[in-house]
C-alpha cells in the first residue's frame, strides 16, 4: 500500500540536518573517530615520535574492480565522509580509553596532540556523489598532514565501501527492471546489523529504488515508506467472527455506513462464476482478513493473496473485497504475491483483473498493481522479463541489501605522494600497482554524448581540451592505446573540503538519486549490460598530437 | 602488536551499561521501535481497528537452514533483543512522523494507543545466547498481545539474524584454525556499514576470535584491540634521513640512550651472511620505518615485512631491528605477512628465526609470532593447515565480516498460536510448513556427553526423562525415526522477559564466548566438520515407550 505516495512531499527533505554548532551530523552516532583500526593510532604515534608531524601526504581512495561482474560502480557515501570530517575530534573519554589501551610507554604529550587533532588542515577532492565511476580512478583524493590523513583511512573506507556497493547493486536492479516498474527495498530483517539495514535503505534509494519498508529510514531521510501486511495477518483470522462485528465502512457516495462483509459476500458469487473459481475453496479466514484490512485502509488497499492459494482463494477474495470497496466509492490499489511462479501468477492475476474490468466496465481494474516479493535478485528480474511478467512492483530484500553476489567492495586508500614526492606501491600483482603522485581525472565525451574514456594525469599537467586529439594508453598494457578527440571534457574532481569547511553544495538524497540516473545515461549500453559487459576505458598516459 | 594484551583487564567489563533509569541500552542508538517495516504498523492499525487489541498470540523465531553449508548455528543477539524490549516506546517525534506518513483516515485514537504501547505484557522464552542451535528449533518464543508481538518482528529479526550469522561464521573459523592459533577480526573497512563493522567485531569475539582492530568495539565492549602498521607506513619512509635524527632508544639494562640506527646497521651485516641475503637488496626505507616503529613501541614490536620482498628485504630488516632491540633489553613480538604464499613464507620466516635463535643462543627468537592477513577465509585456513603453515595468528577481514559464503541468515518469525488455538502456515514447500502451537524444546544427551537430538513438543506435554526411552520421528519424513534413551535432558528455553523486566542473568560477552565453546564441545565432530557434515537430528514427534 502506497501509504505515503500522496501524503509525504518528497522535496528537499534529505538536506542534512545541522546540529546546534551549525555542523552536520552523521546518520549514525557510532560514526566517530574511534570507529577505526587501531593501527591508525599506533602509526600516528610512531609518526609523531619520529618527528614527522609536519610531513604532508596525498592518499587516493579507489577500487580495483567493479562489483557483481559488472563494468561500472556508483560512487556513494561522500556526504557521510564530509560530515565525519566536520565533526572529527577525539573526546576526553576517547583519549582516556586510548591512554589505558596503548602501552604505558606512550608519551603523555601525544595524547595532548590527539585531543587537539581535527581535520581542518585536510583537503578533499572527490567525484560527485552518485556518479558512475570506474576502477583505478580515485573517488577521493585526500591531502594534508600525514598523520591526520592516515588516521582517516578506515572510517572513510567504511563509509564509502558499502554505500557504493549498495548504490551500485540498486542501480543494477533498476537497469534490469526498466524504468516503468517500481522497486521497493524490503531488506531490513536480513541486513547486516541495524545500520546495514538503514544504509541499505538510503543507498538503494539513491541507486534508483522508489521506496523502502524501513520506517526509520523514512523518518531520517524522508524516503517514501511502503508496506501492507504479512502472512501472519492473514492467518490470524479464521472466520467471519474474528471481525468482532467491526465490518462497517462509510460509503463515500452517500456518507452512510455499509456492511463490507455483506457486500463482499454478495460479490463472491458472481465473481466465482466469472472467474471459474469454487467459492468453497476460497479461505474464509483470508476473506475476513482482507475485509478488515480494507476497512482500515479503504484508500490504500493492497492484499497479500498467496497465504493459501493465489488462483483458488486469494484472487477471488481480493476481487470480492475490491468490488465491495468500489461500491462504496473506493479504488483498491492491487495485490502482492510472495511465493510461487511469479511470471505465471502475475499473468493469471492480470487475466482475472481484465475479465472483471470488462464484465463490469471498470477499466481501472485492468491496471491494478501487481507486486512481487519472493527472494528476488537481478537474475530473477531478467528471467521474469523474458517470461513477459505482469508485475508492476518488485519488493526486494535479502539479495539487494546483503549484495549476495559480492558482499564487499574492495575500496583501498593508498599513499601516492609524500612531501611532494610521488610514492608507488610495488606489487608482484600488476593490478595492485598504484599510480604514483597527485592526479586529476577527466571524463572525455564523444559527439553522441556518451563517455569515451576517463583520463588520469598528473595534477600539474594541462587538462585535455575539446577538439584536440589525445593519445590514451592502457595503464598497464603498453600496447593498448586509442586516439580520442573529445567533444566535451568533464573534470571529475571538485574540492569538497578544505580549511575546515565543506566547500561545495551538498546535494540532498533526491538530487544524488537523479545524478545516478543522469550519469548512467552517459554510459554506453554495452558497458551497463548484465551479460558480458564491455569494459569502460581508463587511461593514465596521454599524449597530445 | 598486542598493545592491550597486558594493559586491559578482560573481566566483567562487557556487562551492559545501565542508563539513568536503570535500563540497559542497545549498543547502537538507531535500534529503536521505528527500525521496523512499515507493515508492522499498518497491521497494528488494522488489528486495532478490528477490535483485536485483546487477542493474544505466540510467535516462533527460527531459521530453516544452517548457514555456510554447515550443520550448526550459533544463536546470538538475544542481549540486544532484551534491551530493545526494555526500551520499547514510540517517542512524540515518532508518532508525529507516523501521523504524517500514514493515510489521513487513520483515527487519532490509534496514535494515543501507540504512544502508550510498550513491551511489558510480552513474555519471551529463549535459548541461551551463545548456544549451538539447529534448524526449526525456535530460538525465541514471543508471547503476548497480538499487536505488540507482531510489531516486534522486524527488529528482533534484524538483531538476531546478522548476530547469529556472524557468531556462526567466527565459530567456524575457530574450528578450522584450531585452539592454539590466535584469530583477530580486521574487517571494519569492508563491513556493511558502520554498524556492520561494530556488530562484526562483537559477534566474532563471541564466536571465538581473540580480538579486533576496531577501536570503538574495544571501547564499547572491552574486546582486546590489536594493530600494527600499514604498507603506507613502511612506504612513507625513503631513507635514514626520514628518521630526522630521532633514532635514540633507552637501553633497559643501563638506562642510557642508544642509537637504534647504528645498532641495526651493525646487525645487518652478520645477519645477511647468516641468512644468505644481500644487504643491498633490502630496502633502506623499510629498515628506517621499522626502526622508527621499534622506537615508538619497543615492547610491542611487530613488523609488516612484505611491502617490498619478504625473503630479500623484510625478514633481514626485521631481524636486524629485533636484534638491536634485544641489545637494549627488549623482545620483539613478531612479523605480519600480508601477501604471497602464506604457507611457504611462514615456513621461510620460521626457518630464519630458528637460525638466528641457534646462532645467538636466543631460544625465544624461534617462537616469534607470525601473523598472516591476506584475504583469508575458512577454506584458506584449512588449506594452510594441510601445508603445515607456521602461522600463529590470522587477521581476517572481508570474508569474515561480510560472511561472503552466505551473507544472510534466513531467520523468520511465524505465528504459531492465537488466542490459544494453534495456527499453521501451509505451504507447497514442505520445509516451509511451520509446527503449530506453543512448544518447548529439549536437548537429549547420550552417555558420552554428546547431544543426540533436539526434541520439540507441545508446551503442555510432560518433558522427556532421563533413562526413559523416547521414540523420535523426523518432523516431515514419517519413515525416519529413532529411539533415544537420554542420559541427560536439557530444557532449552528460559524465561528471559516478562512483566516488563529481564528475568534471567544477562551474561557478559566473555561468558557468552565461553558458552559458545562449551556448547560446541557437546556436538559430535562429524556434525561440525567443514566437508559433508552430518545433519544433527531435530524431532517434533515423540512417543514414550
Amino acid at each position: 500500500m502506497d501509504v505515503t505516495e500522496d501524503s509525504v512531499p518528497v522535496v528537499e527533505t534529505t538536506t542534512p540536518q545541522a546540529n546546534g554548532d551549525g555542523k552536520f551530523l552523521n546518520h549514525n552516532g557510532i560514526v566517530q573517530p574511534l570507529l577505526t583500526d587501531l593501527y591508525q593510532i599506533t602509526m600516528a604515534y610512531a609518526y609523531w615520535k619520529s618527528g614527522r608531524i609536519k610531513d604532508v601526504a596525498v592518499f587516493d581512495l579507489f577500487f580495483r574492480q567493479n562489483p557483481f561482474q559488472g563494468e561500472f560502480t556508483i560512487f556513494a557515501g561522500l556526504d557521510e565522509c564530509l560530515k565525519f570530517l566536520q565533526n572529527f575530534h577525539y573526546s576526553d573519554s576517547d583519549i582516556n580509553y586510548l591512554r589505558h589501551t596503548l602501552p604505558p610507554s606512550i608519551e603523555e604529550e601525544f595524547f595532548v596532540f590527539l585531543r587537539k587533532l581535527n581535520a581542518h588542515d585536510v583537503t578533499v577532492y572527490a567525484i560527485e556523489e552518485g556518479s558512475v565511476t570506474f576502477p583505478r580512478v580515485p573517488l577521493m583524493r585526500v591531502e594534508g598532514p600525514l598523520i591526520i590523513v592516515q588516521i582517516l583511512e578506515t572510517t572513510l573506507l567504511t563509509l564509502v565501501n558499502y554505500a557504493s556497493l549498495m548504490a551500485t547493486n540498486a542501480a543494477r536492479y533498476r537497469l534490469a527492471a526498466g524504468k516503468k516498474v517500481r522497486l521497493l527495498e524490503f531488506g531490513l530483517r536480513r541486513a547486516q546489523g541495524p545500520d546495514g539495514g538503514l544504509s541499505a535503505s538510503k543507498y538503494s534509494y539513491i541507486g534508483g529504488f522508489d521506496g523502502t519498508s524501513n520506517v526509520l529510514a523514512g523518518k531520517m531521510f524522508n524516503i517514501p515508506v511502503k508496506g501492507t501486511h504479512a502472512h501472519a495477518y492473514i492467518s490470524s483470522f479464521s472466520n467471519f467472527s474474528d471481525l468482532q462485528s467491526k465490518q462497517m465502512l462509510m460509503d463515500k457516495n452517500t456518507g452512510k455506513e455499509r456492511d463490507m462483509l455483506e457486500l463482499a459476500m454478495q460479490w463472491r458469487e458472481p465473481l466465482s462464476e466469472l472467474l471459474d473459481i469454487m467459492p468453497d475453496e476460497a479461505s474464509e479466514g483470508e476473506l475476513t482478513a482482507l475485509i478488515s484490512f480494507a476497512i482500515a485502509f479503504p484508500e490504500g488497499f493492497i492484499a497479500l493473496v498467496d497465504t493459501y492459494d493465489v488462483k483458488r482463494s486469494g484472487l477471488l477474495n481480493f476481487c470480492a473485497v475490491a468490488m465491495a470497496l468500489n461500491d462504496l466509492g473506493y479504488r483498491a490499489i492491487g495485490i502482492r504475491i510472495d511465493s510461487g511462479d511469479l511470471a505465471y501468477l502475475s499473468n493469471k492475476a492480470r487475466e482475472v483483473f481484465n475479465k472483471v474490468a470488462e464484465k463490469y466496465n471498470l477499466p481501472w481494474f485492468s491496471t491494478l498493481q501487481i507486486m512481487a516479493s519472493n527472494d528476488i535478485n537481478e537474475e530473477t528480474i531478467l528471467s521474469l522479463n523474458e517470461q513477459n511478467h505482469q508485475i508492476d512492483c518488485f519488493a526486494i530484500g535479502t539479495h539487494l541489501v546483503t549484495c549476495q553476489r559480492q558482499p564487499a567492495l574492495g575500496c583501498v586508500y593508498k599513499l601516492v605522494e609524500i612531501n611532494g614526492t610521488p610514492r608507488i606501491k610495488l606489487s608482484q600483482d600488476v593490478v595492485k600497482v598504484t599510480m604514483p603522485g597527485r592526479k586529476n581525472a577527466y571524463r572525455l565525451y564523444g559527439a553522441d554524448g556518451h563517455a569515451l574514456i576517463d583520463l588520469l594525469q598528473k595534477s600539474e599537467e594541462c587538462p585535455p581540451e575539446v577538439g584536440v586529439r589525445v593519445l590514451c594508453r592502457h595503464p598497464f598494457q603498453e600496447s593498448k592505446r586509442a586516439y580520442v578527440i573529445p567533444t566535451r571534457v568533464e573534470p571529475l574532481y571538485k574540492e569538497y573540503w578544505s580549511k575546515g569547511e565543506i566547500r561545495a553544495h551538498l546535494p540532498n538524497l533526491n538530487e544524488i538519486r537523479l545524478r545516478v540516473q543522469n550519469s548512467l545515461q552517459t554510459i554506453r549500453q554495452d558497458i551497463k549490460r548484465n551479460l558480458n559487459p564491455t569494459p569502460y576505458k581508463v587511461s593514465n598516459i596521454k599524449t597530445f598530437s
Side-chain angles (χ1 to χ4, degrees), chain A:
Chain A
M1 177 187 37
D2 303 354
V3 289
T4 64
E5 200 94 290
D6 303 315
S7 49
V8 173
V10 184
V11 283
E12 291 296 322
T13 40
T14 54
T15 304
Q17 296 297 305
N19 68 6
D21 309 330
K23 287 184 180 174
F24 299 116
L25 297 175
N26 285 101
H27 79 243
N28 191 330
I30 65 167
V31 178
Q32 42 180 282
L34 285 196
L35 188 73
T36 190
D37 291 311
L38 181 66
Y39 79 2
Q40 309 296 359
I41 319 255
T42 53
M43 283 192 274
Y45 179 65
Y47 281 136
W48 181 87
K49 180 88 179 156
S50 311
R52 302 187 68 183
I53 56 169
K54 294 210 167 141
D55 285 21
V56 290
V58 181
F59 280 80
D60 282 347
L61 190 155
F62 63 100
F63 58 90
R64 296 195 181 101
Q65 209 173 5
N66 291 300
F68 315 123
Q69 299 169 298
E71 290 296 345
F72 71 90
T73 299
I74 304 293
F75 170 42
L78 176 61
D79 180 276
E80 286 286 305
C81 289
L82 296 170
K83 292 176 196 163
F84 171 66
L85 292 174
Q86 205 174 29
N87 293 292
F88 187 97
H89 77 278
Y90 296 102
S91 68
D92 287 332
S93 120
D94 292 344
I95 298 292
N96 200 36
Y97 172 72
L98 290 174
R99 192 182 279 117
H100 290 92
T101 302
L102 292 165
S105 61
I106 301 281
E107 293 174 41
E108 183 56 29
E109 207 160 320
F110 173 66
F111 295 114
V112 176
F113 167 81
L114 273 193
R115 184 70 184 82
K116 287 186 191 154
L117 193 67
N118 59 41
H120 290 187
D121 296 332
V122 174
T123 304
V124 174
Y125 294 84
I127 297 178
E128 194 177 329
E129 183 161 7
S131 300
V132 177
T133 57
F134 302 98
R136 296 186 312 276
V137 179
L139 305 172
M140 296 168 70
R141 190 176 79 214
V142 185
E143 312 177 353
L146 172 61
I147 293 182
I148 176 70
V149 291
Q150 174 66 66
I151 274 185
L152 297 173
E153 175 182 28
T154 308
T155 321
L156 296 184
L157 286 173
T158 302
L159 294 173
V160 169
N161 260 326
Y162 180 60
S164 300
L165 184 76
M166 189 63 243
T168 307
N169 204 22
R172 294 180 62 88
Y173 278 71
R174 171 52 72 199
L175 286 169
K179 288 189 177 168
K180 285 183 192 161
V181 171
R182 287 200 316 139
L183 294 176
L184 303 178
E185 177 272 310
F186 271 31
L188 175 58
R189 63 187 62 194
R190 302 284 166 80
Q192 297 207 339
D195 182 88
L198 204 59
S199 299
S201 306
K202 179 176 174 182
Y203 294 109
S204 61
Y205 184 66
I206 282 180
F209 272 56
D210 299 296
T212 176
S213 65
N214 183 339
V215 189
L216 190 61
K219 185 183 176 194
M220 288 175 71
F221 311 125
N222 199 32
I223 298 171
V225 287
K226 311 282 174 182
T228 53
H229 47 252
H231 289 114
Y233 185 83
I234 304 291
S235 57
S236 79
F237 289 83
S238 303
N239 51 51
F240 299 137
S241 72
D242 286 329
L243 281 177
Q244 305 192 12
S245 309
K246 306 232 173 185
Q247 55 209 58
M248 304 306 284
L249 179 62
M250 193 193 73
D251 188 328
K252 273 176 93 175
N253 311 306
T254 65
K256 285 185 186 156
E257 298 249 302
R258 301 277 300 276
D259 187 323
M260 274 291 286
L261 173 57
E262 200 181 296
L263 281 171
M265 286 304 287
Q266 282 169 9
W267 274 109
R268 266 236 284 204
E269 217 177 275
L271 284 169
S272 74
E273 212 160 294
L274 175 71
L275 306 175
D276 198 18
I277 302 170
M278 305 264 287
D280 296 357
E281 287 193 27
S283 158
E284 183 177 325
E286 184 180 56
L287 181 60
T288 315
L290 298 189
I291 290 169
S292 80
F293 208 77
I295 292 170
F297 298 100
E299 306 274 13
F301 180 58
I302 282 199
L304 184 61
V305 292
D306 69 322
T307 307
Y308 300 101
D309 188 305
V310 177
K311 287 196 301 174
R312 286 190 283 188
S313 181
L315 285 174
L316 178 62
N317 283 333
F318 166 75
C319 289
V321 177
M323 291 304 286
L325 279 174
N326 181 61
D327 287 344
L328 307 189
Y330 303 98
R331 280 191 189 178
I333 304 282
I335 59 168
R336 177 160 77 96
I337 307 172
D338 189 40
S339 61
D341 181 332
L342 299 175
Y344 171 74
L345 290 174
S346 68
N347 273 288
K348 195 74 208 166
R350 186 67 67 207
E351 216 173 89
V352 163
F353 297 160
N354 288 338
K355 270 191 195 168
V356 176
E358 196 179 341
K359 171 84 177 176
Y360 299 103
N361 194 23
L362 295 170
W364 63 269
F365 217 95
S366 282
T367 61
L368 280 166
Q369 281 182 30
I370 300 172
M371 183 195 281
S373 60
N374 183 30
D375 223 19
I376 289 161
N377 62 22
E378 196 182 331
E379 274 62 43
T380 321
I381 297 175
L382 292 170
S383 157
L384 286 168
N385 288 347
E386 284 174 9
Q387 298 169 73
N388 296 314
H389 69 79
Q390 288 287 328
I391 297 159
D392 302 291
C393 176
F394 289 106
I396 307 177
T398 315
H399 299 307
L400 174 69
V401 306
T402 64
C403 303
Q404 128 261 23
R405 207 166 151 188
Q406 181 184 323
L409 179 65
C411 273
V412 293
Y413 186 82
K414 294 291 170 193
L415 176 69
V416 294
E417 189 174 298
I418 190 156
N419 298 327
T421 309
R423 305 299 302 173
I424 186 164
K425 182 194 178 298
L426 293 169
S427 173
Q428 264 137 328
D429 192 355
V430 73
V431 303
K432 282 200 171 182
V433 173
T434 56
M435 287 179 247
R438 186 176 187 277
K439 294 171 292 292
N440 277 331
Y442 299 91
R443 185 160 293 172
L444 311 189
Y445 292 86
D448 64 355
H450 280 141
L452 299 172
I453 196 164
D454 280 10
L455 190 66
L456 282 169
Q457 56 177 45
K458 287 183 185 150
S459 56
E460 62 269 22
E461 288 181 295
C462 295
E465 283 173 47
V466 167
V468 177
R469 193 163 83 144
V470 190
L471 172 61
C472 301
R473 293 196 206 152
H474 190 281
F476 308 124
Q477 290 163 272
E478 284 280 335
S479 61
K480 284 197 182 177
R481 53 178 72 189
Y483 282 105
V484 173
I485 302 175
T487 304
R488 181 159 78 89
V489 173
E490 183 190 15
L492 291 179
Y493 297 137
K494 265 191 228 173
E495 186 186 276
Y496 274 95
W497 173 264
S498 70
K499 301 188 179 65
E501 279 179 32
I502 293 171
R503 293 281 160 193
H505 166 67
L506 275 198
N508 66 38
L509 233 53
N510 288 308
E511 289 168 329
I512 300 172
R513 187 166 181 263
L514 194 62
R515 167 78 187 166
V516 172
Q517 296 310 318
N518 289 342
S519 187
L520 275 169
Q521 266 177 11
T522 66
I523 306 302
R524 280 203 326 268
Q525 183 51 34
D526 59 312
I527 293 167
K528 293 181 287 191
R529 72 182 168 212
N530 175 276
L531 194 67
N532 296 328
T534 312
Y536 178 80
K537 289 191 179 64
V538 172
S539 169
N540 68 336
I541 304 167
K542 76 164 206 300
T543 319
F544 294 113
S545 70

